[in-house]
Amino acid sequence: MPSKIKAAALVALCCTVTGAGLAGCDDDTAADWDPFASDTPKASADPFSGTKKIDVAGRSVNVSCSGALAIGKPVVVLLHGGGDGLDKMAAFQKTLSKTNRVCSYDRLGAGASDKPDGPQSFATTGKILTGVLDRVAGDRPVVLAGHSMGGLIAARYAPDHQNRVKGLVLMDATPPTIAEDITKAIPKSATGQAAQLRTQNLAIFQGNNPEKLVMTDGEVRPAGRIPVEVIKHGKPYLAAVPKYGPRLEQAWTAGQRKWLALSSRSRLTTAAKSGHYIYVEQPDAAVQAVQRVTSQAER
């Protein structure tokens, strides 16, 4: 398999990885959950524009905001994929900010934010997201738009924060059962590049990633009747993985369908001209999805 194809598969399955958010149903999440880190909105939003470091639970978090706050309109918050940072989404943010207030941030271990002190769980990652929302949105509703691992984070977070999260856009989001999907698609008996892909991903799920995030599969829990747009890639690049590629593509598509259980107002579309980075390769599809969700969230 050409190195570029192999790298793309790793991005989708690793850097894209099973990200994190508040799974709620997992044992480690329950153990880490802080009942005092509630979702109660914190007064007014900080109207700053540009990039700045903010303090969240004693940690420095790099945040970027643009666009004007408007009465009745939600704040759009972008969540980058694993291995990326907010800079990757800069052009996407700039386009969206023409009509919306848009913010993005580097998670701990990513970009210019502090590194985590130790292993992170879905709950601790969710606490940082809550702190960021308190600062950039205050008591305003938010729409979370996440790519890859960021999509998983958003989807796991929303069910526990229904009074704040009023819409979701999941751009080729990591499936909720990605670890199980990979072990089924690529058996332990696999050899060569497929075996390497399997081993690397399973290690990443166990916390061997820049964010030190220990990731576990989980069921999809409902997030109310919020509008949800799920967008999957149309270019079947995962199929290029020797022997097991078609299985990976099927598992990824099935995983995207699972996210529809988030809401009775969910819909799945395909970005026919895009690989994994939909907001880069087919930005119009991503922009239009965010605009549709924000419009519905205003009602």
Side-chain angles (χ1 to χ4, degrees), residues 14-86:
C14 299
C15 296
T16 287
V17 248
T18 302
L22 291 173
C25 299
D26 301 316
D27 291 339
D28 66 328
T29 300
D32 289 339
W33 178 248
D34 178 0
F36 298 104
S38 68
D39 189 38
T40 304
K42 303 293 191 290
S44 300
D46 185 342
F48 78 92
S49 291
T51 302
K52 67 186 292 186
K53 301 286 186 67
I54 66 172
D55 181 275
V56 178
R59 309 314 306 279
S60 177
V61 177
N62 192 43
V63 180
S64 171
C65 288
S66 52
L69 286 166
I71 296 176
K73 297 192 70 171
V75 176
V76 178
V77 177
L78 308 179
L79 290 84
H80 62 77
D84 293 331
L86 62 79

Side-chain angles (χ1 to χ4, degrees), residues 53 60 80 83-84 97 110 130 196-197 232 298:
K53 301 286 186 67
S60 177
H80 62 77
D84 293 331
S97 65
T130 293
Q196 181 182 4
L197 184 69
K232 71 172 291 290
E298 292 173 32

Side-chain angles (χ1 to χ4, degrees), residues 7-292:
L10 285 170
V11 164
L13 297 173
C14 299
C15 296
T16 287
V17 248
T18 302
L22 291 173
C25 299
D26 301 316
D27 291 339
D28 66 328
T29 300
D32 289 339
W33 178 248
D34 178 0
F36 298 104
S38 68
D39 189 38
T40 304
K42 303 293 191 290
S44 300
D46 185 342
F48 78 92
S49 291
T51 302
K52 67 186 292 186
K53 301 286 186 67
I54 66 172
D55 181 275
V56 178
R59 309 314 306 279
S60 177
V61 177
N62 192 43
V63 180
S64 171
C65 288
S66 52
L69 286 166
I71 296 176
K73 297 192 70 171
V75 176
V76 178
V77 177
L78 308 179
L79 290 84
H80 62 77
D84 293 331
L86 62 79
D87 58 327
K88 183 77 175 181
M89 309 190 91
F92 183 47
Q93 178 171 328
K94 182 177 180 180
T95 299
L96 289 172
S97 65
K98 294 176 182 178
T99 54
N100 298 278
R101 174 68 170 172
V102 188
C103 296
S104 56
Y105 74 106
D106 292 326
R107 294 187 294 276
L108 296 185
S113 289
D114 280 351
K115 297 184 182 304
D117 291 329
Q120 295 198 83
S121 67
F122 288 168
T124 56
T125 301
K127 290 175 187 176
I128 297 297
L129 175 53
T130 293
V132 170
L133 297 183
D134 287 344
R135 184 68 172 269
V136 304
D139 59 2
R140 294 171 181 269
V142 299
V143 166
L144 300 180
H147 168 248
S148 192
M149 183 204 293
L152 176 57
I153 292 171
R156 292 299 191 199
Y157 184 86
D160 291 320
H161 301 82
Q162 294 182 35
N163 64 320
R164 166 173 271 172
V165 180
K166 300 303 180 183
L168 289 171
V169 178
L170 308 181
M171 299 172 283
D172 222 33
T174 304
T177 55
I178 187 64
E180 179 183 356
D181 295 344
I182 290 176
T183 56
K184 286 184 177 180
I186 305 178
K188 193 174 183 179
S189 59
T191 59
Q193 293 171 334
Q196 181 182 4
L197 184 69
R198 185 184 194 273
T199 299
Q200 289 177 337
N201 275 274
L202 294 180
I204 286 171
F205 303 151
Q206 293 167 7
N208 186 17
N209 57 76
E211 299 178 39
K212 297 183 180 179
L213 183 62
V214 178
M215 296 167 278
T216 55
D217 289 349
E219 296 295 324
V220 177
R221 295 176 298 121
R225 294 194 67 256
I226 63 173
V228 177
E229 293 258 356
V230 180
I231 317 172
K232 71 172 291 290
H233 65 260
K235 293 182 179 179
Y237 59 88
L238 292 175
V241 175
K243 188 175 180 178
Y244 304 104
R247 294 186 190 177
L248 289 171
E249 279 289 349
Q250 292 171 3
W252 191 269
T253 297
Q256 302 307 296
R257 293 196 184 100
K258 289 179 182 179
W259 287 129
L260 297 176
L262 282 162
S263 171
S264 59
R265 297 171 66 192
S266 298
R267 80 168 191 164
L268 172 65
T269 58
T270 300
K273 301 177 182 178
S274 180
H276 185 52
Y277 280 86
I278 295 171
Y279 66 93
V280 174
E281 300 175 47
Q282 198 173 337
D284 287 351
V287 169
Q288 290 167 12
V290 172
Q291 291 175 337
R292 284 193 296 268

